[in-house]
Every structure is written in C-alpha cells, then in structure tokens.
Amino acid sequence: MKVYTKTGDRGMTSLIGGERVFKTDSRVEAYGTVDELAAFVALLSDRLRGDAGLSEPNEDLKRILSRLMTVEALLAVGEAGSSHVQPLAPDAVEALEQRIDAMQAALPPIDKFTLPGGHAAVSLCHICRTICRRAERAALRADQEHGVDATALTWLNRLSDYFYLLGRTLTAYYRVDETLWIP
C-alpha cells in the first residue's frame, strides 16, 4: 500500500465516514493541531523515559497519547461517521483532574504565573501546554460549526492545566529555579 494517494492534491481530504472536505475545514485544523500536540507529548515522554523517579508521569503521558488519538478521531468525524468512533469516556476528565490535584498538592502554592524554562523537559511541558490551548481553540471553532464531543472539549481544557502542573512538578524534581512572572 502506498503512503500517498494523490486524492489530496487539490486540497481535499476525507473525514471518517467518507465526507470530502477542504483541508482548511475547521475539523481538519482541529485534529491536525491535536496531532501536533501528540507528537510533542511523545517527545516529552521520550525525554522522561528511563528515569525511574518519573514513571508516574510517563504512564500519564502514555494514557494522554491514547486519548489524544481518540480526540483526533472525534474531530475527524464527518456527517456519516459518528458510529465509527467511541466518545471519550467522562472518567477521562476526572482522572486528569485527580492527577492535577495530586501534583498541585505536592507543590508550594504560588500566586503568579511561572515562566517556561530551567530544564528541557520543563520547557517541553510548556510547549505542550500552549499547543494544547491552540488545539482547544481549534476544537471549539469546529464545535461551533459542526459539533464536537463535549467531553473531548472539557478534557482538552484540563489537559493544558495538566501540562502546566507537570512543568512545575518537573521544575521541583530537577531542582531548577522556578521563575515567577513579576510584571
């Protein structure tokens, strides 16, 4: 099977269910941005892999990658494809909230935003956070036009918070300075 099909040479692609749309369709923009996020999540996971002290975040990232693929599929559903994709389970949001709460409880409270940096893994968390915010905005635009699974939208919103807290957690783990933004 060839990787290229030549069916997209004129700017069209197929959604799940067979509907043909322009590659500029809001759903394509949304699932493409989630796909970009997944690639960076994989890079972050690769950066943390092998460090026994980071096994829990690495397990989180594996689950997140799987759920990102589900969100991509949900965003790629066309008019006739809804029966092909299972929605994101509501407990996915709850599980993410539990991990966020656990990380936050283990960190000193702050009342200012943190600046990215201090360690490559921390910076990757912030890259994931910002791409996740962009993916959420793209998914919301797709929702306005076509409708999107509500749990997927909520989960994307929580996921950016997860990456923020993971960045703070890794700052503490690597014992690098947490730089607060002081305007």
Side-chain angles (χ1 to χ4, degrees):
M1 179 174 162
K2 289 185 176 185
V3 172
Y4 59 89
T5 62
K6 299 184 183 183
T7 60
D9 291 351
R10 298 273 182 195
M12 301 288 287
T13 191
S14 294
L15 297 175
I16 295 172
E19 180 184 350
R20 300 285 294 167
V21 297
F22 281 102
K23 292 179 180 180
T24 55
D25 185 282
S26 60
R27 293 165 290 189
V28 178
E29 286 286 335
Y31 75 68
T33 307
V34 173
D35 191 35
E36 179 184 355
L37 173 59
F40 276 99
V41 171
L43 181 60
L44 175 59
S45 179
D46 289 344
R47 173 65 77 166
L48 303 183
R49 189 170 294 117
D51 187 329
L54 296 174
S55 61
E56 190 170 28
N58 243 323
E59 288 302 313
D60 289 346
L61 294 175
K62 284 181 193 176
R63 277 187 299 279
I64 287 167
L65 279 169
S66 178
R67 289 177 178 150
L68 283 170
M69 290 299 291
T70 300
V71 171
E72 283 183 59
L74 289 166
L75 291 165
V77 169
E79 299 302 322
S82 61
S83 64
H84 294 78
V85 182
Q86 293 297 314
L88 196 62
D91 66 346
V93 173
E94 186 178 308
L96 206 48
E97 289 173 345
Q98 289 171 356
R99 290 295 301 129
I100 291 167
D101 292 344
M103 286 188 291
Q104 191 163 17
L107 294 167
I110 58 173
D111 62 357
K112 299 194 177 0
F113 196 76
T114 58
L115 297 178
H119 189 279
V122 173
S123 294
L124 277 170
C125 288
H126 286 281
I127 289 169
C128 290
R129 175 184 58 79
T130 59
I131 295 171
C132 188
R133 287 286 188 213
R134 182 162 36 95
E136 180 189 9
R137 291 188 303 271
L140 288 167
R141 283 190 295 275
D143 182 48
Q144 288 175 335
E145 294 176 30
H146 305 283
V148 171
D149 178 75
T151 302
L153 294 172
T154 302
W155 186 78
L156 280 174
N157 182 271
R158 295 301 181 285
L159 184 59
S160 60
D161 296 330
Y162 171 86
F163 287 121
Y164 177 73
L165 264 296
L166 182 58
R168 290 200 66 217
T169 298
L170 293 177
T171 296
Y173 181 81
Y174 291 119
R175 296 185 177 133
V176 294
D177 289 336
E178 182 172 50
T179 306
L180 300 179
W181 178 56
I182 302 171

